[in-house]
């Protein structure tokens, strides 16, 4: 796609805007060229509302689990009588039965659950905890940019002055959300859209040609340059023809918003538009009331979550060799069920890392136990792995991120505390 | 100072020169209640911009762009006179937009106490049902419980309906005023301060405090004294809640001012101890700026001084000072010693210190110069504006006056140098077509569609004031689609037919249509290329490049059958905001004048002011 004309419209893009932030200036100094890992994609999926980790990755080998949760615990895998039990993984942990669609990923070694992981911050506020997980700086509210945006910069593929592949630049970072999420906020250009259909000029007839021409008058200013890039991106997407997209055989995405958004991420990956990071989120995890056990409210959410991810992995097929999926939720929930058949805001949680390079088939993280003295503040699953240990390892190994001190400022556990999940 | 002899008091002329006849509405509330003096600053040095440019520049910078007829009106009045009037908004009649706001947007006028009740009503009803259900072994989920409660209780239905409107109403008020108010500078400054003292409706209860924040805290002080504004913000429920100040308490290593009844005074369910969040942003974002010379120690000392500044949830979350949780030990803030044993005066003195700090004058002056002049404003101008700020004890009106009457403001470099924010883009487009104010939340949702929901910036630094942050491929696409939707008649209250010139131009030759649109929408300044494209739809540069064999990328898109596919494509999943379906229905088919307008709003030139 590169041509003289593209060079014209991109020459207005300078890294000068990076200098606006302290981090940006730091990145400019530190970003390294090379280490080109183009073609590799990180997909981050945020479960907003604090998913109940103990009913997601179930410690069925832990007696205290069943004492703490008399009516909402997931039965042991061996339990008979038609009641669905946990899908056993390793004799101690199991998946919630609604996550059964993800079991084949475990069997193929693509799925690595991590337990007792989360933010060291003690906050129980959804807002603050999501903020910390997205900025990557627990208990530091003054961070302006999100870690996934910083990740784009510390990859060093473009902004440090290497050849700017304008054709792929617009789709480096795509969030399948209405607004740019906190995790992607920052100086690197990103795109937020609620569906790929939106990424088109909504006019028919000659108006489209004229609009493009208005941005291709040869002016080198930033507005013209961005417009030129946009028309290029629209063409790339049109060539990929998302409306005619047929997922690979066997990939059945749920009709839910989350399922459809994952499908569109798969489309972008398969269209080779240069997608480096993708983001989607899904709500409904704040289960204070009647969350249910093997069936019920949480089970419905998990079913959609699992079928969507399983479809994405099936759809991507061999491309999963280039892709890592990282799930996250702001904190876990109380170990003990509450008076309304639900759970309240807790501390450590669980997340999944999924991909071709993942050393799956093993539950990672040190298990702290659920006896009274083992609980955080006497009520929650204790934290044994800082989420930044997982995020920094994934960013480094999946995307080749170099400056981990810039990626997670103030965090000194990178490399030292990695779990070896990739 | 040096400028004083230049100021001419011309208050006697005010009535005769205002844009709209004055006198019908109550005077604009200013801090002292009296109308502001009308000071016309006559230029002492030649200005680089032509007279016509000065008029358009002033309308674009002191306001949200011209409405039909505005350029002629300001030219007739004289740009200096118009600027002087905008700086004295109490002299401008604004009764028609006041009446519109008063008669629409029902929740905007509600007392915060009522909004607190509204916000809690649904949750309480659901919690009560959940308890009952759990006792009966019912496994209904939250949504079902809510549906049950709503079915059985019409009053609850009404409460929830109103609760859902709160954010949409205050967003719509802000946009309505930006589009329709005669006091344009007042609106620009309200927008500036609401962004400077940014709060986020997505954080818990902040949403119910935002109407009062706009109505009672920021708006009346937008051109007032900085210290007054800072103090009102510090005591507003919106800021107390958003930056956690309400839950900051004396920590265990210090002595509370009063130690009785301590336990009962605890904010329910919250951890006790110092919370530095507001103190840090007060220094970094609201006053001194990140390079303002404060230390982490100052942040802690400011936080200690502000302990006890909280709100009373029983009285509409109004500000209260609670001695029980105030740290009464001595503190040192930015070199000033605060004696032990004091109460609310600690916080007041901190606000005095930071409001009068020279770093604050520089920080605010520079940020204002960025808003009004350019993304990288001349240092000499910033220094003069900072000097005015210091000399007038933080008089915002005089600081702005220094900037908008300066030679730098009227320089060639400043002309059309700013990229419009999404709010500015939507307001200026609606003004340019002469749109009727939209009393639905739809138009305000378009601002969110363009990436900057009103009161929707999550982090406390607010939306960027500089253009580079707004401009990327996705943003341009959304802006183009916004222009097409507007020209296609998809935005309530706005259509090309409303544009007063439309009737005359509908059957005029294309060249005349283009000239009129370029004048009204693009400030009269379109490059020959742009004009050619608007007229003929051909890009001279693209054909030249093609002739030189420079590649196919610059060749305009050819027509394809995709349009038809787009018409029949299935509905995608829709998000919470609801604005996208309105904009992104079928592709618009624009012809004639509407096409020229749609192209103009989507053109690079319209993205600037």
């Amino acid at each position: 796609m590169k041509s003289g004309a593209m060079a014209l419209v991109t020459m207005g893009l300078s890294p000068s805007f990076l200098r606006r932030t302290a981090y940006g200036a730091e990145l400019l100094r530190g970003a390294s060229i090379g280490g080109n890992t183009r073609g590799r994609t990180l997909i981050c999926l945020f479960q907003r509302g604090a998913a109940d980790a103990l009913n997601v990755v179930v410690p069925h080998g832990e007696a205290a689990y069943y004492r703490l949760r008399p009516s909402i615990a997931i039965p042991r895998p061996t339990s008979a009588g038609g009641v669905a039990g946990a899908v056993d993984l390793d004799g101690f942990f199991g998946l919630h039965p609604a996550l059964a669609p993800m079991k084949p990923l475990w069997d193929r070694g693509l799925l690595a659950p991590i337990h007792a992981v989360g933010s060291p911050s003690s906050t129980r506020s959804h807002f603050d905890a999501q903020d910390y997980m997205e900025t990557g700086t627990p208990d530091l509210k003054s961070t302006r940019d999100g870690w996934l945006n910083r990740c784009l910069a510390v990859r060093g593929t473009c902004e440090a002055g290497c050849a700017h592949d304008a054709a792929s630049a617009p789709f480096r970072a795509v969030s399948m959300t209405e607004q740019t999420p906190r995790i992607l906020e920052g100086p690197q250009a990103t795109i937020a859209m609620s569906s790929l259909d939106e990424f088109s000029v909504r006019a028919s007839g000659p108006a489209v040609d004229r609009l493009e021409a208005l941005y291709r008058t040869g002016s080198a200013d930033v507005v013209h340059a961005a417009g030129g890039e946009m028309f290029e991106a629209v063409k790339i997407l049109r060539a990929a023809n998302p409306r005619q997209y047929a997922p690979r055989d066997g990939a059945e995405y749920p009709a839910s918003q989350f399922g459809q958004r994952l499908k569109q991420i798969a489309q972008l990956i398969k269209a080779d538009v240069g997608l480096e990071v993708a983001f989607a989120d899904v709500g409904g995890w704040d289960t204070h009331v009647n969350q249910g056990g093997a069936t019920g409210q949480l089970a419905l959410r998990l079913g959609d979550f699992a079928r969507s991810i399983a479809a994405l992995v099936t759809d991507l097929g061999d491309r999963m060799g280039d892709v890592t999926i990282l799930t996250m939720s702001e904190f876990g929930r109380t170990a003990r069920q509450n008076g309304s058949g639900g759970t309240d805001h807790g501390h450590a949680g669980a997340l999944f890392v999924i991909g071709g390079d993942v050393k799956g088939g093993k539950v990672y993280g040190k298990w702290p136990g659920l006896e009274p003295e083992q609980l955080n503040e006497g009520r929650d699953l204790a934290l044994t792995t800082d989420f930044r240990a997982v995020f920094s390892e994934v960013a480094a190994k999946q995307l080749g991120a170099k400056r981990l001190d810039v990626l997670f400022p103030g965090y000194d556990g990178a490399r030292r505390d990695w779990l070896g999940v990739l | 100072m040096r400028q004083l002899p230049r100021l001419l008091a011309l208050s006697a002329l005010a009535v005769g020169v205002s844009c709209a006849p004055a006198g019908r509405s109550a005077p604009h509330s200013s801090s002292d209640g009296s109308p502001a003096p009308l000071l016309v600053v006559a230029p002492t040095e030649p200005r680089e911009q032509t007279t016509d440019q000065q008029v358009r520049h002033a309308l674009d910078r002191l306001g949200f762009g011209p409405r039909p007829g505005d350029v002629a009106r300001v030219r007739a009045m004289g740009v200096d006179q118009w600027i002087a009037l905008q700086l004295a908004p109490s002299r401008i009649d604004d009764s028609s937009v006041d009446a519109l706001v008063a008669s629409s947007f029902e929740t905007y006028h509600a007392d915060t106490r009522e909004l607190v009740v509204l916000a809690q009503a649904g949750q309480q009803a659901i919690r009560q049902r959940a308890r009952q259900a759990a006792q009966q072994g019912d496994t209904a989920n939250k949504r079902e419980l809510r549906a049950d409660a709503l079915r059985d209780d019409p009053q609850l239905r009404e409460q929830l309906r109103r609760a859902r409107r709160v954010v949409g109403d205050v967003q719509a008020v802000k946009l309505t005023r930006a589009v329709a108010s005669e006091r344009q500078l007042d609106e620009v400054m309200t927008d500036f301060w609401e962004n400077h003292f940014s709060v986020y409706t997505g954080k818990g209860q902040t949403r119910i405090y935002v109407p009062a924040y706009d109505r009672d805290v920021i708006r009346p002080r937008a051109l007032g004294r900085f210290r007054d504004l800072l103090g009102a913000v510090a005591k507003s429920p919106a800021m107390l809640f958003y930056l956690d100040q309400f839950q900051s308490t004396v920590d265990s290593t210090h002595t509370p001012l009063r130690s009785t009844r301590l336990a009962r005074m605890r904010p329910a369910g919250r951890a006790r101890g110092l919370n530095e969040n507001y103190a840090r942003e007060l220094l970094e974002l609201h006053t001194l700026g990140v390079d303002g010379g404060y230390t982490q120690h100052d942040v802690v000392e400011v936080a200690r001084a502000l302990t006890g500044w909280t709100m009373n949830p029983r009285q509409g979350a109004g500000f209260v000072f609670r001695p029980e949780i105030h740290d009464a030990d001595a503190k040192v803030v930015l070199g000033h010693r605060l004696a032990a044993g004091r109460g609310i005066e600690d916080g007041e003195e901190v606000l005095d210190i930071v409001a009068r700090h020279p770093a604050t004058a520089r920080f605010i002056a520079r940020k204002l110069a960025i808003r009004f002049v350019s993304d990288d404003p001349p240092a000499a101008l910033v220094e003069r504006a900072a000097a005015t700020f210091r000399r007038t004890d933080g008089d915002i009106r005089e600081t702005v006056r220094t900037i908008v009457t300066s030679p730098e403001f009227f320089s060639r470099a400043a002309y059309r140098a700013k990229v419009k924010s999404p709010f500015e883009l939507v307001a200026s487009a609606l003004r340019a077509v002469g749109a009727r104010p939209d009393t639905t939340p739809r138009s305000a949702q378009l601002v969110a569609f363009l990436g900057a929901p009103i009161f929707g910036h999550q982090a406390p630094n607010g939306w960027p004031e500089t253009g580079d942050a707004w401009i990327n491929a996705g943003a341009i696409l959304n802006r183009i689609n916004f222009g097409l939707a507007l020209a296609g008649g998809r935005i309530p209250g706005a259509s090309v037919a409303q544009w007063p010139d439309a009737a005359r131009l509908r059957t005029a030759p294309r060249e005349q249509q283009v000239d009129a649109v370029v004048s009204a929408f693009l400030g009269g300044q379109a490059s020959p290329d742009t004009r050619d494209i608007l007229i003929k739809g051909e890009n001279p540069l693209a054909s030249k490049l093609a002739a030189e064999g420079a590649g196919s990328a610059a060749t305009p898109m050819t027509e394809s059958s995709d349009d038809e596919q787009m018409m029949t494509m299935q509905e995608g999943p829709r998000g919470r905001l609801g604005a996208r379906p309105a904009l992104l229905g079928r592709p618009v088919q624009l012809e004639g004048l509407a096409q020229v307008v749609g192209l103009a709003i989507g053109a690079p030139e319209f993205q600037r002011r």
Side-chain angles (χ1 to χ4, degrees):
Chain A
M1 295 306 294
K2 294 187 78 170
S3 69
M6 281 314 299
L8 249 184
V9 298
T10 57
M11 66 197 216
L13 292 176
S14 81
S16 64
F17 63 89
L18 263 179
R19 298 191 187 99
R20 280 185 302 118
T21 65
Y23 286 139
E26 181 71 8
L27 296 175
L28 270 185
R29 283 194 295 276
S32 64
I33 307 175
N36 188 346
T37 49
R38 189 171 304 282
R40 294 178 69 80
T41 305
L42 171 62
I43 303 171
C44 289
L45 304 176
F46 206 118
Q47 297 168 280
R48 295 195 188 276
D52 180 24
L54 291 176
N55 274 16
V56 175
V57 180
V58 180
H60 62 75
E62 178 83 49
Y65 170 73
Y66 291 95
R67 286 200 306 274
L68 290 163
R69 301 186 159 209
S71 71
I72 63 165
I74 307 302
R76 293 186 178 86
T78 49
S79 69
V83 182
V87 179
D88 187 41
L89 295 177
D90 59 4
F92 184 86
F93 291 109
L95 295 175
H96 188 289
L99 293 177
M102 287 166 67
K103 178 63 167 26
L105 310 184
W106 168 275
D107 295 334
R108 289 164 58 197
L110 302 175
L111 172 69
I114 303 174
H115 223 315
V117 59
S119 169
S121 168
S122 63
T123 183
R124 296 183 195 277
S125 148
H126 293 297
F127 179 86
D128 288 346
Q130 289 181 23
D131 197 58
Y132 297 153
M133 195 162 269
E134 297 188 71
T135 57
T137 57
D139 284 326
L140 183 63
K141 290 197 170 185
S142 53
T143 309
R144 306 298 177 219
D145 44 11
W147 72 266
L148 215 43
N149 194 287
R150 295 197 298 276
C151 189
L152 288 170
V154 297
R155 290 199 69 188
T157 49
C158 275
E159 294 306 335
C162 66
H164 185 79
D165 188 348
S168 68
F171 293 114
R172 281 187 81 195
V174 173
S175 179
M176 298 303 302
T177 51
E178 281 78 12
Q179 300 293 333
T180 302
R182 191 83 165 87
I183 197 169
L184 272 171
E185 254 175 37
Q188 302 291 314
T190 65
I191 287 175
M193 54 182 160
S194 51
S195 87
L196 295 187
D197 297 333
E198 276 180 16
F199 210 85
S200 61
V201 176
R202 310 299 289 184
S204 51
V208 178
D209 296 346
R210 292 187 190 193
L211 278 164
E212 178 169 12
L214 286 172
Y215 283 87
R216 294 205 187 274
T217 54
S219 168
D221 87 350
V222 290
V223 178
H224 285 79
E229 260 192 34
M230 182 275 289
F231 281 100
E232 215 50 45
V234 167
K235 280 185 219 174
I236 294 168
L237 207 54
R238 186 188 290 185
N241 205 355
R243 265 166 273 118
Q244 299 296 311
Y245 182 74
R248 199 161 154 270
D249 279 353
E252 289 179 27
Y253 290 95
S256 67
Q257 185 179 79
F258 185 64
Q260 293 303 303
R261 288 180 175 185
L262 293 202
K263 177 171 133 188
Q264 299 183 50
I265 290 173
Q267 290 177 248
L268 285 174
I269 289 171
K270 291 209 264 181
D272 288 317
V273 296
L275 185 68
E276 297 174 36
V277 299
F279 179 86
D281 56 14
V282 55
W285 305 98
D286 196 17
T287 50
H288 287 280
V289 177
N290 292 334
Q291 73 175 53
T295 59
Q297 222 186 137
L298 180 64
L300 285 174
R301 289 284 163 195
L302 288 172
D304 177 52
F305 186 71
R307 287 198 308 277
S308 300
I309 290 176
L312 176 67
V313 173
T314 303
D315 193 8
L316 287 174
D318 293 346
R319 291 299 295 266
M320 278 307 289
D322 301 326
V323 174
T324 294
I325 302 166
L326 172 65
T327 74
M328 62 193 77
S329 192
E330 64 266 33
F331 41 68
R333 308 188 69 83
T334 46
R336 201 174 284 106
Q337 72 181 67
N338 66 19
S340 316
T343 46
D344 297 318
H345 298 182
H347 192 48
L351 58 77
F352 297 110
V353 186
I354 303 160
D357 288 351
V358 172
K359 295 171 186 156
K362 173 186 167 188
V363 178
Y364 287 80
K366 181 170 172 286
W367 177 248
L370 293 177
E371 295 302 331
E373 70 282 3
Q374 295 169 326
L375 294 176
N376 171 61
E377 298 179 11
R379 48 177 271 168
D380 323 304
L381 179 64
L383 181 108
T384 58
T385 300
D386 189 315
F387 73 86
R388 292 169 295 183
V390 179
F391 293 6
S392 63
E393 182 182 352
V394 169
K397 293 184 180 170
Q398 173 65 17
L399 293 179
K402 298 280 194 299
R403 290 290 304 274
L404 301 179
D405 56 327
V406 174
L407 188 59
F408 293 107
Y411 177 64
D412 62 1
R415 294 191 176 83
R416 184 191 70 204
D417 293 342
W418 283 356
L419 299 174
V421 72
L422 274 169
Chain B
M1 296 285 285
R2 195 166 65 88
Q3 278 186 332
L4 280 175
R6 292 195 214 159
L7 305 179
L8 304 167
L10 288 179
S11 55
L13 293 178
V15 173
V17 297
S18 82
C19 260
R24 277 188 293 141
S25 70
H28 181 253
S29 52
S30 62
S31 46
D32 58 357
S34 61
L38 194 71
L39 300 173
V40 181
V41 180
T44 56
E45 323 171 34
R47 291 172 176 169
E48 291 179 2
Q49 294 175 14
T50 65
T51 306
D52 192 54
Q53 285 175 334
Q54 290 175 36
V55 168
R56 293 175 186 275
H57 189 63
L59 281 163
D60 270 351
R61 300 295 177 90
L62 278 73
F64 292 97
R67 285 167 308 179
D70 278 355
V71 170
R73 272 194 292 274
V74 175
R75 195 189 288 122
M77 180 191 297
V79 71
D80 298 313
Q81 190 73 43
W82 186 77
I83 289 172
L85 199 54
Q86 287 297 319
L87 282 161
S90 57
R91 297 178 167 276
I92 304 172
D93 173 43
D94 216 17
S95 53
S96 103
V97 72
D98 286 345
L100 178 72
V101 169
S103 63
S104 314
F105 317 112
E106 49 174 316
T107 66
Y108 178 72
H109 310 285
D111 190 281
T112 303
R113 263 173 297 205
E114 191 210 334
L115 298 181
V116 171
V117 172
L118 284 183
Q120 288 168 351
Q123 284 180 340
Q124 276 169 359
I126 292 163
R127 226 175 283 138
Q128 196 181 346
R129 295 213 172 226
R131 268 195 300 273
Q132 289 168 357
Q135 279 161 11
Q136 294 159 7
D138 189 346
T139 56
N141 66 28
K142 216 168 173 176
R143 197 177 304 164
E144 292 160 355
L145 292 167
R146 185 185 161 93
D148 286 351
L150 283 174
R151 197 178 49 241
D152 301 347
D153 187 347
Q155 195 200 338
L156 182 65
R157 270 204 302 279
E158 172 62 12
Q159 284 175 322
L160 290 186
R161 185 191 67 79
R162 280 170 67 79
R164 269 197 305 273
R165 285 195 57 143
V166 171
V167 174
D169 273 352
V170 66
Q171 290 174 332
V173 166
K174 187 169 167 180
L175 184 59
T176 289
R177 285 193 178 276
V179 170
S181 175
E182 301 291 338
R183 298 168 174 175
Q184 283 283 291
L185 178 60
D186 219 13
E187 295 306 316
V188 167
M189 290 306 298
T190 298
D191 181 54
F192 177 84
W193 291 122
E194 286 178 352
N195 197 45
H196 182 78
F197 295 109
S198 182
V199 297
Y200 175 56
T201 54
K203 177 171 175 174
Q205 298 159 33
T206 309
R207 61 201 304 277
I208 57 179
Y209 305 135
V210 164
Y213 192 60
D214 175 83
R215 185 188 64 212
D216 305 333
V217 177
I218 305 279
R219 197 167 278 286
R221 298 172 182 84
L223 281 166
R225 213 164 275 281
F226 182 73
R227 173 63 179 85
D228 293 341
L229 178 60
L230 188 68
V233 167
K235 292 175 180 174
S236 68
M239 190 59 78
L240 286 166
F241 186 86
Y242 171 60
L243 287 182
D244 309 322
Q245 172 59 36
F246 79 101
Q247 51 173 313
S248 180
T249 67
V250 55
D251 71 22
S252 55
T253 62
H254 291 288
T255 324
L257 187 60
R258 196 197 297 161
S259 55
T260 53
R261 299 185 302 148
L262 187 66
R264 270 193 290 148
M265 289 300 169
R266 280 181 194 180
R270 296 289 179 177
R272 290 180 53 75
L274 206 59
N275 188 310
E276 299 171 8
N277 197 16
Y278 173 67
R280 180 182 312 281
E281 306 305 5
L282 171 68
L283 299 179
E284 176 180 334
L285 297 175
H286 298 170
T287 59
L288 306 185
V290 69
D291 302 318
Y294 61 91
T295 64
Q296 170 60 23
H297 181 71
D298 289 316
V299 171
V300 174
E301 297 290 279
V302 167
R304 289 181 55 216
L306 285 166
T307 48
W309 286 48
T310 184
M311 51 206 227
N312 185 341
R314 288 208 188 80
Q315 290 171 8
F319 172 78
V320 288
F321 175 75
R322 288 202 168 151
E324 301 84 3
I325 54 173
H326 179 67
D327 179 336
D329 289 346
K331 301 132 196 134
V332 178
V333 172
L334 294 161
H336 299 258
R337 188 177 157 77
L338 310 186
R342 306 198 313 168
I344 189 172
E345 322 79 280
D346 271 356
E348 297 286 0
E349 190 170 344
V350 163
L351 296 183
D352 289 341
I353 292 167
V354 297
R356 291 177 182 135
H357 197 284
T360 300
R362 265 196 310 277
F363 181 62
I364 300 294
R366 181 170 155 79
K367 196 164 174 182
L368 284 168
I370 288 172
R371 170 64 72 111
F372 284 103
V373 181
S374 69
D375 287 359
D376 192 12
L381 173 65
V382 173
E383 193 34 62
R384 292 205 309 283
T388 303
F389 188 94
R390 286 192 301 270
R391 173 171 53 80
T392 60
D393 194 20
D395 187 324
I396 298 163
R397 182 195 327 273
E398 293 315 311
T399 309
V400 170
R401 191 192 309 276
T402 296
I403 293 169
V404 301
T405 57
S406 70
E408 290 92 337
F409 178 78
F410 288 111
S411 68
R412 253 193 304 276
Y415 190 64
R416 301 189 72 78
K418 292 286 296 181
V419 172
K420 290 173 184 170
S421 71
F423 185 73
E424 289 165 342
L425 183 82
V426 172
S428 65
L430 294 175
R431 283 176 65 80
V433 295
R436 282 191 312 275
D438 179 10
T439 53
T440 77
R442 294 278 285 282
S443 295
Q445 286 165 350
L446 294 171
V447 183
F449 172 80
L450 295 175
I454 300 167
F455 297 112
H457 193 276
Q458 192 169 333
N461 53 335
W463 301 107
E465 289 285 346
T466 53
D468 45 24
W470 294 120
I471 294 305
N472 59 59
I476 296 287
L477 180 63
N478 289 337
R479 286 170 178 231
I480 283 176
N481 283 331
F482 163 73
L484 293 167
L486 193 156
R490 301 234 168 113
I491 296 173
S495 79
V496 174
Q498 273 169 338
W499 186 34
D501 287 353
R504 176 174 64 81
L505 290 168
R506 193 170 297 124
T507 54
R510 180 88 170 189
E511 285 80 1
Q512 273 181 37
Q513 293 179 338
V514 168
D515 285 343
V517 168
V518 166
S519 171
F521 289 79
L522 306 182
Q525 279 220 330
S527 68
D529 285 340
T530 293
R531 190 180 295 270
D532 260 17
I533 294 161
L534 289 175
I535 293 171
K536 299 195 214 111
E538 283 167 17
N539 182 354
L541 187 92
S543 23
K544 200 169 81 194
L545 281 172
E548 289 165 3
S552 60
T555 310
M557 268 192 256
T558 51
E559 290 226 42
S560 76
S561 60
D562 276 21
D563 297 333
E564 277 172 23
Q565 290 177 19
M566 223 179 275
M567 310 271 278
T568 55
M569 76 196 176
Q570 67 176 63
E571 288 269 301
R574 296 303 182 203
R576 291 156 295 165
L577 289 165
R580 290 177 183 242
L583 266 180
L584 298 167
R586 297 174 166 192
V588 293
Q589 176 88 47
L590 294 175
E591 278 164 8
L593 184 61
Q595 189 195 66
V596 182
V597 171
L599 294 176
I601 294 174
E605 286 87 345
F606 193 73
Q607 312 315 312
R608 294 186 174 275
R609 59 180 175 98

